């Protein structure tokens, strides 16, 4: 009954607030205490008992009452941070205020007239912390809120374990304690592992939700012409004004990297016991990547002579970003810290890939996209630029995170989960952001030689993916997954085709032995992208062919001995290279090639291919859930729909084996067979080009074919006197 009465009283207070037409004085504590002092409501209750329509109604009809509500809630949080929340009633007030603000803040941010409210000054909140009644020295409401949240995140017996037996009389002073001694988890910069406490984790999660809500104001702002504009909430919270930046950064990072969802490996333990740690880890990861949202081009980045000569976490103000979270992240350099971070991220990324004999017996996390963004931030900010040709050992510098990841085969523990997520999300348009961050990470890694070398390690761990079964290396897995993305991904992934093939180009000089499956996939892509109608459909389509030719040239030039499968596949598909060497350059032939889009090409025969056999336990890529995304784009046509049967005649010309089309109409246009299907196929194939307005000319075609130095380069001759294609062009 007590819980029901509490909810009823809270609902009555909300109704009173929405029905009052006259402003309620801030000194009317009896009225305002109804929202936090006399109730014990959960966050679900707050969201249910405070409807969005009523919040908007108060905002429009009684703006002064809504402003007073926010001011009083922030005031209670500040008082709780100053007192230390030693009493249970104080703790409950702080939690109620944080939940109420989490509910109300988005509706303030969405109104342009209210966006400056939290950055207005509040009388009596002096910057000196002495409570002067000087309006000129008053602190904005947003700053007071952020500092109060930071203090409460390190409040003994509320969010952290007290180091002494505190009582009301001998309580620890929040302003005098060193918060670096209260870091939440062992790891970077902290060796002691505190005892897990369910209540503390729940309280931390409530405060982190409020903090994340404060940072979300940028979501409600219109796109600014200045892309370098910063979020004022994040900027202040990560500045030196916040005395808890260092312990909070390490707490968030260690909490994420130390989390083990499997635990002791007891089957179905996640069904028997509630995991109170996972929600905290997810919130910590989200807050961490938001605070690390920093444009490195607008500030001075760490250099060789800068911030890497001190300890991992030095309190001195170094030359570097003003965002202290970015600054601290860029200065981590101890090998044990890198090992802790890499193992933690790899463990969490690999969690959805775990296979057990008992179905669904292992807990699976869902915040892998946040982990990928965090990994990108680590690689982007924790780096140092040294002169070309000199290593960090020669300069006496500590190694950085990206170098540490690439120096061993541990990078493959990151690669395999990324490929799994890319393959799984390729058909879901609502997860296009996941596709982009995964491809960008691989593009960053592929620029390093060590990554290409590590790909030669045999792939033995069978992750269930709907790809052809093969026996080979991690390079084969990379190529097979990329082929699957290109051939069966949705339309919005086409801008990523250049990136995918660039990754293959970057690693191609180091691939010692491709499997027959991977070799066939590369030739299949070349066969599709080199069709005349596709090359002439958009001005940049020929770049895809150049990328693939560059891959073949790199492998043949640097790793010829071990790649007999690729050489054999090239010989089998030599007609494709003859077709490239004899591209039509006159306008009638170009227009005739473009008209082929109106016919549905016959499927390419792939006798003996393992395309239909997928790995055991795999499942097809799931499309977007109903209601997640509505789009008018159609699916990308399969590669077998883009290729044609052809052979090379004795005189070296390309002769098509397609059946002769039926006689066209009197005006020369081809006869349309099965109107609905032909129209649907034409629409699908037309969308394969990036632009439908561009039209190729003879000059453009001649430039593409004849630019030896800039486009095609010199032919690579595979042998003397053998029937091998001489049209292997090197793109430069």
């Amino acid at each position: 009954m007590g819980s029901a009465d509490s909810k009823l009283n809270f609902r009555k207070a909300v109704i009173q607030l929405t029905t009052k037409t006259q402003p309620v004085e801030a000194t009317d504590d009896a009225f305002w205490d109804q929202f936090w002092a006399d109730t014990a409501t959960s966050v679900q209750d707050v969201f249910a008992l405070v409807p969005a329509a009523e919040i908007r109604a108060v905002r429009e009809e009684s703006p002064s009452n809504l402003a007073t509500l926010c001011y009083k809630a922030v005031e209670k949080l500040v008082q709780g941070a100053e007192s230390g929340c030693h009493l249970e009633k104080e703790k409950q007030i702080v939690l109620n205020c944080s939940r109420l603000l989490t509910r109300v803040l988005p509706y303030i941010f969405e109104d342009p007239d209210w966006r400056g409210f939290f950055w207005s000054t509040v009388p009596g909140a002096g910057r000196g912390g002495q409570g002067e009644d000087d309006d000129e020295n008053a602190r904005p409401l947003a700053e007071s809120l952020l500092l109060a949240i930071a203090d409460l995140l390190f409040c003994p017996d509320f969010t952290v374990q007290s180091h002494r037996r505190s009582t009301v009389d001998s309580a620890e002073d929040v302003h005098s304690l060193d918060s670096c001694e209260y870091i939440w988890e062992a790891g970077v910069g902290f060796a002691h592992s505190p005892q897990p406490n369910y209540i503390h984790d729940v309280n931390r999660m409530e405060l982190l939700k409020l903090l994340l809500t404060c940072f979300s104001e940028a979501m409600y702002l219109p796109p600014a012409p200045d892309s370098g504009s910063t979020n004022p909430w994040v900027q202040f919270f990560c500045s030196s004004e916040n005395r808890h930046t260092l312990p909070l950064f390490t707490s968030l990072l260690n909490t994420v990297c130390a989390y083990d969802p499997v635990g002791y490996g007891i089957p179905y333990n996640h069904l028997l016991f509630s995991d109170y740690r996972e929600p905290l880890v997810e919130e910590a990861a989200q807050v961490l990547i938001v605070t690390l949202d920093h444009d490195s081009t607008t500030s001075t980045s760490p250099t060789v002579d800068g911030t890497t000569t001190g300890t991992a976490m030095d309190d001195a103000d170094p030359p570097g970003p003003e965002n202290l979270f970015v600054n601290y992240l860029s200065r981590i350099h101890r090998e044990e810290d890198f090992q802790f971070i890499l193992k933690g991220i790899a463990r969490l990324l690999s969690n959805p890939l775990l296979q057990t004999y008992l179905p669904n017996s292992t807990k699976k996390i869902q915040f892998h996209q946040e982990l990928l963004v965090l990994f990108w931030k680590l690689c982007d900010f924790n780096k140092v630029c040294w002169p070309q040709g000199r290593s960090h050992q020669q300069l006496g510098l500590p190694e950085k995170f990206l170098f540490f990841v690439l120096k061993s085969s541990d990078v493959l523990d990151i690669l395999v989960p990324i490929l799994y997520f890319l393959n799984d999300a390729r058909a879901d348009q609502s997860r296009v952001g996941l596709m982009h961050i995964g491809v960008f990470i691989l593009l960053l890694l592929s620029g390093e030689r060590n990554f290409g070398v590590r790909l030669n390690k045999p792939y033995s761990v069978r992750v269930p993916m709907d790809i052809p079964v093969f026996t080979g290396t991690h390079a084969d897995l990379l190529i097979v997954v990329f082929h699957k993305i290109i051939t069966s991904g949705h339309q919005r992934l086409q801008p990523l085709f250049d990136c995918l093939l660039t990754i293959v180009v970057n690693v191609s000089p180091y691939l010692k032995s491709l499997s027959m499956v991977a070799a066939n996939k590369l030739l299949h892509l070349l066969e599709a992208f080199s069709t005349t109608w596709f090359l002439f459909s958009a001005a940049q389509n020929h770049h895809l062919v150049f990328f693939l030719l560059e891959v073949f040239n790199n492998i043949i030039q640097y790793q010829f001995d071990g790649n007999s499968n690729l050489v054999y596949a090239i010989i089998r598909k030599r007609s494709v290279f003859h077709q490239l060497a004899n591209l039509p350059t006159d306008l009638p032939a170009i227009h005739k090639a473009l008209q082929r889009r109106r016919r549905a090409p016959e499927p390419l025969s792939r006798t003996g291919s393992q395309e239909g056999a997928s790995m055991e336990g795999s499942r097809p890529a799931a499309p977007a859930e109903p209601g997640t995304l509505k789009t008018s784009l159609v699916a990308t046509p399969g590669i077998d729909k883009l290729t044609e049967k052809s052979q090379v005649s004795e005189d070296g010309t390309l002769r098509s084996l397609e059946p002769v089309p039926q006689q066209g109409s009197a005006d020369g246009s081809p006869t349309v067979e099965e109107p609905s299907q032909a129209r649907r196929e034409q629409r699908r194939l037309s969308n394969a080009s990036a632009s439908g307005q561009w039209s190729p000319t003879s000059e453009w075609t001649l430039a593409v074919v004849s630019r030896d130095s800039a486009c095609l380069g010199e032919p690579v001759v595979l042998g003397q006197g053998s029937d091998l294609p001489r049209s292997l062009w090197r793109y430069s």
Side-chain angles (χ1 to χ4, degrees):
M1 290 298 295
S3 177
D5 293 340
S6 177
K7 296 179 182 179
L8 182 60
N9 294 333
F10 182 79
R11 180 57 188 162
K12 289 180 179 179
V14 174
I15 294 175
Q16 291 179 19
L17 181 65
T18 57
T19 56
K20 284 183 177 294
T21 57
Q22 298 298 325
V24 182
E25 295 295 333
T27 56
D28 190 358
D29 293 335
F31 174 78
W32 298 112
D33 287 347
Q34 298 178 91
F35 292 95
W36 41 73
D38 303 331
T39 60
T41 54
S42 63
V43 63
Q44 293 82 5
D45 295 335
V46 172
F47 274 69
L49 298 175
V50 187
E54 296 185 4
I55 300 177
R56 292 190 175 100
V58 175
R59 185 188 66 193
E60 300 299 331
E61 299 174 4
S62 303
S64 60
N65 289 341
L66 182 60
T68 306
L69 177 66
C70 295
Y71 166 72
K72 295 292 289 186
V74 173
E75 183 184 48
K76 290 297 181 182
L77 290 178
V78 173
Q79 292 176 358
E82 292 177 350
S83 65
C85 294
H86 303 297
L87 301 178
E88 290 299 325
K89 185 177 181 180
E90 294 178 342
K91 298 177 182 179
Q92 190 61 52
I93 291 176
V94 168
L95 292 176
N96 289 338
C97 290
S98 64
R99 294 163 183 166
L100 187 60
L101 287 173
T102 303
R103 178 57 171 165
V104 172
L105 282 179
Y107 301 96
I108 293 180
F109 294 155
E110 73 178 11
D111 192 335
D113 297 333
W114 281 78
R115 285 174 187 158
F117 168 72
F118 274 93
W119 295 100
S120 58
T121 57
V122 178
R127 292 183 181 273
Q130 300 175 0
E132 300 92 345
D133 294 331
D134 186 3
D135 291 350
E136 296 181 357
N137 198 35
R139 185 181 292 279
L141 193 62
E143 295 183 3
S144 301
L145 175 59
L146 292 175
L147 294 180
I149 294 175
D151 288 337
L152 290 170
L153 286 172
F154 294 96
C155 185
D157 292 328
F158 180 60
T159 52
V160 294
Q161 188 69 34
S162 178
H163 290 176
R164 67 183 73 172
R165 294 183 178 179
S166 303
T167 62
V168 178
D169 297 330
S170 61
E172 293 180 276
D173 187 2
V174 176
H175 296 283
S176 63
L177 61 84
D178 184 7
S179 53
C180 290
E181 299 178 359
Y182 294 87
I183 294 176
W184 300 350
E185 190 63 56
V188 178
F190 195 66
H192 174 66
S193 182
Q195 187 72 18
N197 190 302
Y198 164 74
I199 301 299
H200 293 171
D201 285 350
V202 171
N203 295 341
R204 294 168 184 169
M205 185 178 62
E206 296 282 357
L207 294 172
L208 290 181
K209 284 182 178 180
L210 175 57
L211 187 61
L212 200 60
T213 305
C214 295
F215 294 159
S216 68
E217 183 183 16
M219 298 171 56
Y220 302 90
L221 299 177
D226 182 13
S227 59
S229 58
T230 58
N231 188 330
W233 295 83
V234 177
Q235 185 178 18
F236 177 80
F237 188 78
C238 300
S239 67
S240 57
E241 292 281 345
N242 181 7
R243 66 188 184 94
H244 301 290
T245 50
L246 177 58
L248 186 56
F249 166 75
T250 52
S251 295
L252 296 174
L253 182 62
N254 295 347
T255 300
V256 173
C257 296
Y259 176 58
D260 185 4
V262 178
Y264 292 106
I266 301 176
Y268 302 104
N269 60 342
H270 61 287
L271 300 179
L272 302 176
F273 311 99
S274 59
D275 185 4
Y276 59 87
R277 196 72 170 181
E278 182 186 4
L280 174 64
V281 174
E282 185 172 359
E283 293 293 334
Q286 293 176 356
V287 171
L288 190 59
I289 61 179
V290 171
T291 53
L292 293 174
D293 186 13
H294 174 71
D295 187 3
S296 58
T297 61
T298 59
S299 61
T300 306
S301 300
T303 60
V304 171
D305 302 326
T307 62
T308 58
T309 56
T311 60
M313 294 296 170
D314 190 3
D315 288 334
D317 292 332
E322 295 180 359
N323 185 322
L324 294 183
F325 277 58
V326 176
N327 200 341
Y328 295 141
L329 179 64
S330 66
R331 296 163 58 189
I332 301 176
H333 65 269
R334 295 192 305 173
E335 186 170 343
E336 53 268 30
D337 293 338
F338 287 151
Q339 184 71 17
F340 169 75
I341 295 173
L342 180 59
K343 287 296 183 182
I345 294 179
R347 178 177 59 250
L348 294 176
L349 286 177
S350 302
N351 171 257
L353 283 64
L354 295 177
Q355 297 297 307
T356 57
Y357 290 104
L358 299 176
N360 301 321
S361 62
T362 305
K363 182 180 180 60
K364 302 296 178 65
I365 63 172
Q366 301 297 328
F367 54 93
H368 44 266
Q369 185 164 349
E370 287 85 349
L371 294 172
L372 292 179
V373 176
L374 177 59
F375 183 82
W376 171 267
K377 296 290 186 182
L378 285 163
C379 295
D380 187 29
F381 293 136
N382 190 271
K383 61 184 177 183
V384 62
C385 299
W386 46 74
Q388 187 175 6
R390 301 189 65 186
S391 64
H392 69 288
Q393 296 97 335
Q394 294 173 331
L395 295 174
L397 295 174
E399 60 189 2
K400 286 300 185 175
F401 183 73
L402 184 58
F403 179 85
F404 178 84
V405 171
L406 294 170
K407 78 173 186 178
S408 68
S409 297
D410 291 340
V411 67
L412 302 179
D413 297 334
I414 301 294
L415 170 68
V416 175
I418 291 178
L419 293 178
Y420 171 82
F421 295 133
L422 293 180
N423 182 71
D424 184 62
R426 71 180 189 275
D428 188 350
Q429 298 191 40
S430 66
R431 292 196 284 173
V432 67
L434 173 63
M435 298 291 297
H436 277 79
I437 187 63
V439 171
F440 292 161
I441 289 175
L442 295 182
L443 185 62
L444 176 66
L445 296 176
S446 68
E448 303 293 335
R449 175 186 177 275
N450 284 353
F451 180 71
V453 174
R454 301 301 174 190
L455 290 179
N456 293 305
K457 183 178 180 180
Y459 176 67
S460 56
V461 180
R462 296 300 174 185
V463 176
M465 291 188 280
D466 57 331
I467 59 176
V469 178
F470 69 94
T471 301
T473 64
H474 285 77
D476 299 314
L477 176 66
L478 180 80
I479 293 174
V480 170
V481 171
F482 282 5
H483 176 272
K484 196 75 172 182
I485 294 173
I486 294 174
T487 57
S488 61
H490 56 77
Q491 188 78 10
R492 297 178 66 189
L493 296 182
Q494 289 184 5
L496 292 177
F497 287 0
D498 283 359
C499 293
L500 294 175
L501 295 184
T502 301
I503 294 170
V504 182
V505 171
N506 290 343
V507 302
S508 58
Y510 314 106
L511 306 184
K512 296 182 178 180
S513 178
L514 290 181
S515 67
M516 182 59 72
V517 174
N520 285 334
K521 297 304 180 186
L522 289 177
L523 267 298
H524 198 204
L525 292 178
L526 179 66
E527 188 175 5
F529 293 145
S530 62
T531 54
T532 52
W533 77 262
F534 182 80
L535 287 175
F536 296 148
S537 295
Q540 67 275 16
N541 281 354
H542 64 282
H543 293 165
L544 303 177
V545 176
F546 290 158
F547 287 142
L548 290 169
L549 294 178
E550 177 75 359
V551 171
F552 298 145
N553 280 275
N554 287 340
I555 295 178
I556 292 171
Q557 182 176 357
Y558 300 107
Q559 304 292 342
F560 178 80
D561 294 339
N563 282 283
S564 57
N565 290 327
L566 179 63
V567 175
Y568 176 70
I570 292 176
I571 296 174
R572 288 180 60 243
K573 294 295 183 181
R574 58 186 178 274
S575 60
V576 179
F577 299 93
H578 284 279
Q579 178 183 355
L580 285 175
N582 296 277
L583 284 176
T585 57
D586 56 306
L587 282 179
I590 294 175
H591 292 163
K592 183 179 179 181
L594 290 174
Q595 287 179 355
R596 293 181 182 177
R597 285 184 293 179
R598 301 182 181 180
R599 301 195 305 269
E602 294 183 5
L604 182 68
S605 175
R606 300 188 61 81
T607 307
S609 173
Q610 294 178 320
E611 185 67 34
S614 297
M615 293 185 176
E616 182 180 358
S618 65
R619 55 183 176 83
E625 297 180 1
T628 56
L629 182 65
K630 299 296 183 182
T631 178
S632 59
L633 296 176
V634 296
T636 304
I639 282 295
D640 57 350
K641 302 296 184 181
L642 306 180
T643 56
E644 309 171 50
K645 292 184 178 181
S646 59
Q647 72 175 18
V648 182
S649 60
E650 294 181 358
D651 58 357
T653 60
L654 190 68
R655 184 163 58 89
S656 175
L657 296 183
E658 290 184 333
V660 179
Q662 298 181 2
Q663 185 66 27
S665 58
D667 59 355
S669 60
T671 303
V672 179
E673 304 179 60
E674 300 181 11
S676 60
Q677 181 179 359
R679 193 180 304 111
R680 187 164 55 250
E681 190 68 25
Q682 178 183 355
R683 190 164 57 248
R684 288 174 45 138
L685 299 180
S686 298
N687 281 328
S689 61
S691 173
Q693 302 297 327
W694 178 81
S695 179
T697 62
S698 299
E699 292 77 9
W700 178 87
T701 307
L702 288 172
V704 171
V705 175
S706 62
R707 271 188 311 178
D708 294 341
S709 59
C711 294
L712 298 179
E714 297 294 333
V716 176
V717 181
L718 299 183
Q720 299 294 334
S722 60
D723 187 21
L724 298 181
R726 300 177 61 88
S727 301
L728 287 176
W729 304 103
R730 177 171 46 181
Y731 170 64
S732 59

